[in-house]
Amino acid sequence: MFGLEKKDTSLLLIVAVLTMFAPFILNPFPTDSALAQFNAGYPDLMQRFVIFGIFAIGFNILFGLTGYLSFGHAAFLGVGSYAAVWMFKLIGMNVLPAILLAIIVSGLFSVIIGYVSLRRSGIYFSILTLAFAQMSFALAYSVLTPITGGETGLQLALDDPRILGVSQTAEGNIPVPSLFGLEMRSTAELVVGPWEFVFNVGYYTSALFMLASFYLAIRIFRSPFGMMLRAVKSNQQRMNYTGLNTRPYTLAAFVISGMYAGLAGGLMASMDPLAGAERMQWTASGEVVLMTILGGAGTLIGPVLGAGFIKYFENIFSKINDNVLHGWFAFLPDGMEDFVVFIIHPFIGKGWHLTLGILFMMVVIFLPGGLVEGGQRISSWVRGRKSEDKAKGKTEPAE
Amino acid sequence: MGILEVKNVGKRFGGLQALSEVNLSVAENSCHAIIGPNGAGKSTLLNCLVGKLIPDSGSVMFDGQSVLGRAPYEINQMGISRVFQTPEIFGDLTVMENMMIPIFAKRDGAFRMHAFETITNEKQVVEQAEKMLEEMNMADKRHMHAAAMSRGDKRRLEIGMCLSQEPRLLLLDEPTAGMARADTNNTIDLLKQIKEERDITIAIIEHDMHVVFSLADRITVLAQGTPLVEDDPQNIKGNPKVREAYLGESA
């Protein structure tokens, strides 16, 4: 189906079902239970899952296939956001032209950065991209203030022209981003007994974009072009002596992944129409590297898993505080309770980075193929128990 | 007029004159061996032919066109394929994929953004690759990772990859270096078979005299960066100059 092989079609369908039913899947706990704080099914977080999913899928096309590790991809995300907000200011609040411009501008930007950075490979390439991104960040903060809004960020104002829309609504407010009148922030709620499920237009718009991005990524992975990108990672010398020019291949991969980042940036701005320079900072670039490696670089589903994993930690673990812990361990005797809370304290709340860091290290050391390798090991272990006589000597290449 | 004409090529690395006044003419559909002791400049010469190095002086013409100043991929697209001393293959890819890449390169040129095609739908390329794998006796290994194969198999694969592009000139850089006797003999047989069955010119750099005398129609002996003699194999064997260059004066 869709020009995909059976295995890829089912993967795409699984991802489609998961994203479409995410409001249910992410809210498994009744709202009045103690576990409700582990519910991730609120619009803000769900949007972030899919938007960072897009970012990581695109990053993986560069890093996972060609092996070129860019440390400056957040620059494209930021540029995409700025482009989208400018579109809201000048043209109107429809998200489609904004996202389109975000993709185009970040694409052009990545042609320039890629053209220069790809003259080197390995660590030098990483450093060059990092330098470019930090330069963009610093410029956005200072001399480019008329375009970027500097420290306050780029925001919408009541006197923006919006030539295809209105400068302000009848009530005198700034209009909100919408898709042909359907507001991104509008949300429907479904209450079933103690459960509450939230359906948000912005989330579903982003999710559709993510499915399209995912489909495109599968096509690229299975195409001769994708094979050439893997060949770049494997042996550039052989490529050159096989009559293939590696430069345009790597540049194409770089620009595609830059455009994915631009799409993610445009969607971010569409969900919340402001853009700040901190989106381009190196920590943001590092985050997408972590997502891709944690999920499994070079695999199709890995980056999406990694993005979801990190965003979940960032938003859910960081909210657990000492009071919550005391609530959980109230059944223990007083001294014990304080002791247990004292031990766990550094790993939760503001310490979520510590937990994530430990998990990341464990994944890199024990599962170099990321979460996907973990899944493969579990499934082959289960299958191995079912039919040990069918044990295969070789490992399957990662999907 | 040979298919490959090297005229007065010189190359200097700092204080070392690696090549000087090298003249070489490789006749079409022949197997021309370049031999010489260590440090004679064999590899430097080869690198000048494939675009890795640019000679300081002289000219290198392939089929009437100069190759100087062209990138390795452009020279390959002209019809020169190179086999390396240690097999250079795509280790992370499967054997089948390894075989398909040169066929794509031959069909689509140095770059093509075929991102919306699916590899498995490229029937013609798949067929050609299958055929070449059969020819190389590797059809059963098609799903293996190339890096997992034995050295001899890697060499076969690399030669197969080069042949799948139907090059006019095949350059071999010590194709049997570091191989066991059995693997060496297999490689010799393979190259003999290629020579007989195809319209192909082979230029081979080799250390192993057994390989050279089994294959070559014509031999050039390099010593200290310059050709000592060029002759037929039977005349090379008895040539005192060659013995001297190879084995020292005592021999």
Side-chain angles (χ1 to χ4, degrees):
Chain A
M1 210 198 303
F2 315 118
L4 298 180
E5 281 179 28
K6 212 176 143 206
K7 204 169 65 175
D8 296 330
T9 312
S10 46
L11 182 66
L12 182 66
L13 287 178
I14 290 170
V15 174
V17 168
L18 288 179
T19 45
M20 288 302 122
F21 290 95
F24 296 106
I25 297 163
L26 294 172
N27 264 1
F29 307 112
T31 40
D32 53 356
S33 74
L35 290 171
Q37 61 178 313
F38 287 108
N39 281 342
Y42 54 94
D44 205 33
L45 182 54
M46 287 196 296
Q47 288 164 5
R48 245 171 277 164
F49 281 153
V50 286
I51 291 173
F52 278 92
I54 293 172
F55 191 19
I57 290 170
F59 185 76
N60 189 41
I61 290 175
L62 179 68
F63 176 55
L65 290 180
T66 69
Y68 277 79
L69 176 57
S70 162
F71 252 108
H73 252 53
F76 307 124
L77 188 88
V79 167
S81 288
Y82 284 127
V85 174
W86 270 110
M87 214 62 172
F88 292 140
K89 285 168 92 70
L90 300 176
I91 304 295
M93 297 308 286
N94 193 329
V95 295
L96 285 187
I99 289 169
L100 195 67
L101 187 74
I103 296 173
I104 292 170
V105 171
S106 56
L108 293 175
F109 194 54
S110 56
V111 170
I112 298 166
I113 293 188
Y115 185 79
V116 178
S117 305
L118 287 166
R119 301 190 153 261
R120 289 283 169 272
S121 61
I123 187 85
Y124 303 101
F125 168 79
S126 304
I127 297 293
L128 280 170
T129 50
L130 176 64
F132 268 114
Q134 282 301 87
M135 214 159 71
S136 313
F137 167 68
L139 287 176
Y141 242 113
S142 53
V143 290
L144 292 180
T145 301
I147 304 174
T148 61
E151 283 176 41
T152 49
L154 189 62
Q155 291 167 341
L156 300 185
L158 284 170
D159 56 355
D160 290 332
R162 275 185 276 281
I163 48 174
L164 292 181
V166 287
S167 286
Q168 41 186 287
T169 57
E171 295 86 39
N173 295 324
I174 297 171
V176 293
S178 61
L179 185 66
F180 304 112
L182 209 55
E183 287 184 8
M184 286 296 124
R185 63 176 184 191
S186 61
T187 297
E189 280 176 25
L190 172 70
V191 180
V192 184
W195 282 278
E196 201 181 298
F197 304 110
V198 190
F199 306 92
N200 171 263
V201 174
Y203 167 70
Y204 278 102
T205 311
S206 310
L208 289 176
F209 273 107
M210 194 204 77
L211 286 177
S213 314
F214 190 62
Y215 170 71
L216 195 65
I218 299 179
R219 290 301 299 262
I220 290 175
F221 268 64
R222 299 290 177 247
S223 71
F225 175 71
M227 184 166 75
M228 295 299 178
L229 297 184
R230 281 185 292 134
V232 168
K233 184 179 182 176
S234 184
N235 192 338
Q236 293 215 22
Q237 167 119 306
R238 183 27 90 197
M239 272 202 100
N240 285 325
Y241 288 95
T242 306
L244 293 160
N245 190 357
T246 51
R247 195 70 71 69
Y249 278 107
T250 47
L251 185 62
F254 192 86
V255 173
I256 291 171
S257 73
M259 287 164 90
Y260 267 79
L263 168 63
L267 279 169
M268 267 176 157
S270 303
M271 300 303 118
D272 186 10
L274 54 85
E278 74 288 342
R279 254 175 219 177
M280 301 177 147
Q281 214 172 354
W282 68 272
T283 47
S285 299
E287 199 178 40
V288 75
V289 178
L290 292 191
M291 286 171 180
T292 309
I293 293 174
L294 187 68
T299 65
L300 280 167
I301 192 72
V304 185
L305 292 180
F309 200 80
I310 288 186
K311 284 294 147 190
Y312 187 82
F313 257 81
E314 184 184 291
N315 290 281
I316 303 295
F317 263 66
S318 60
K319 270 191 240 148
I320 306 172
N321 56 26
D322 281 6
N323 288 336
V324 177
L325 284 185
H326 279 293
W328 288 353
F329 296 106
F331 63 92
L332 293 172
D334 264 358
M336 277 290 278
E337 182 189 326
D338 288 344
F339 179 71
V340 171
V341 171
F342 175 76
I343 295 292
I344 300 178
H345 174 81
F347 296 95
I348 48 136
K350 281 179 187 151
W352 70 273
H353 281 113
L354 181 60
T355 318
L356 185 67
I358 292 171
L359 279 171
F360 182 75
M361 284 192 285
M362 303 230 299
V363 165
V364 170
I365 293 168
F366 297 111
L367 296 172
L371 296 174
V372 169
E373 189 187 332
Q376 280 170 346
R377 280 200 200 170
I378 291 171
S379 74
S380 69
W381 182 70
V382 170
R383 249 181 282 150
R385 295 195 87 190
K386 274 187 192 154
S387 54
E388 272 177 340
D389 50 338
K390 279 186 188 170
K392 272 196 266 176
K394 74 185 186 81
T395 52
E396 292 285 330
E399 287 307 321
Chain B
M1 187 74 179
I3 189 166
L4 183 73
E5 291 283 339
V6 178
K7 288 234 163 68
N8 296 327
V9 161
K11 180 75 190 172
R12 174 178 279 280
F13 297 110
L16 175 75
Q17 186 75 39
L19 295 176
S20 60
E21 298 292 307
V22 176
N23 287 292
L24 184 70
S25 173
V26 177
E28 194 154 6
N29 292 334
S30 70
C31 179
H32 197 124
I34 299 157
I35 63 171
N38 278 329
K42 303 186 298 287
S43 294
T44 308
L45 177 61
L46 187 81
N47 285 332
C48 287
L49 305 183
V50 294
K52 192 167 187 180
L53 291 175
I54 299 176
D56 304 329
S57 58
S59 70
V60 179
M61 304 289 277
F62 174 70
D63 199 20
Q65 280 181 295
S66 173
V67 304
L68 298 187
R70 293 183 199 245
Y73 73 87
E74 292 173 310
I75 293 173
N76 175 279
Q77 292 283 358
M78 290 168 77
I80 301 181
S81 279
R82 174 185 182 175
V83 171
F84 286 80
Q85 196 169 343
T86 30
E88 291 280 355
I89 50 172
F90 302 111
D92 305 330
L93 274 58
T94 66
V95 171
M96 182 66 185
E97 287 172 324
N98 267 276
M99 199 53 99
M100 288 170 82
I101 286 173
I103 299 172
F104 274 119
K106 169 92 178 168
R107 194 193 72 178
D108 299 336
F111 172 70
R112 181 161 161 228
M113 183 94 189
H114 29 35
F116 282 104
E117 290 140 42
T118 307
I119 297 171
T120 41
N121 290 346
E122 302 276 1
K123 296 275 184 286
Q124 220 183 336
V125 176
V126 172
E127 241 168 61
Q128 259 176 283
E130 297 267 359
K131 207 177 128 219
M132 186 49 79
L133 284 179
E134 294 282 345
E135 220 168 295
M136 293 287 125
N137 271 330
M138 311 189 85
D140 53 327
K141 298 193 172 76
R142 75 185 69 169
H143 295 303
M144 247 173 114
H145 272 154
M149 294 196 301
S150 73
R151 171 116 188 205
D153 281 343
K154 284 181 187 166
R155 171 62 75 220
R156 280 183 99 74
L157 175 62
E158 193 187 24
I159 292 174
M161 287 163 73
C162 288
L163 289 180
S164 70
Q165 297 194 302
E166 292 164 5
R168 305 198 41 208
L169 173 63
L170 181 65
L171 294 175
L172 298 143
D173 187 2
E174 301 200 25
T176 63
M179 268 190 190
R181 198 80 241 180
D183 275 340
T184 303
N185 287 335
N186 285 338
T187 309
I188 292 173
D189 291 343
L190 176 66
L191 291 172
K192 270 186 179 162
Q193 189 193 336
I194 292 166
K195 222 177 93 178
E196 279 161 25
E197 290 174 3
R198 292 168 182 268
D199 289 334
I200 193 169
T201 313
I202 299 176
I204 181 169
I205 284 180
E206 187 52 79
H207 232 84
D208 189 331
M209 288 304 126
H210 173 54
V211 178
V212 171
F213 289 113
S214 324
L215 288 170
D217 305 319
R218 190 89 182 153
I219 296 176
T220 298
V221 183
L222 273 188
Q224 285 157 2
T226 192
L228 207 60
V229 279
E230 185 187 323
D231 214 332
D232 293 336
Q234 58 269 31
N235 299 339
I236 293 283
K237 267 185 192 167
N239 191 312
K241 270 193 191 169
V242 177
R243 286 174 157 261
E244 189 187 316
Y246 252 89
L247 304 165
E249 290 180 31
S250 59

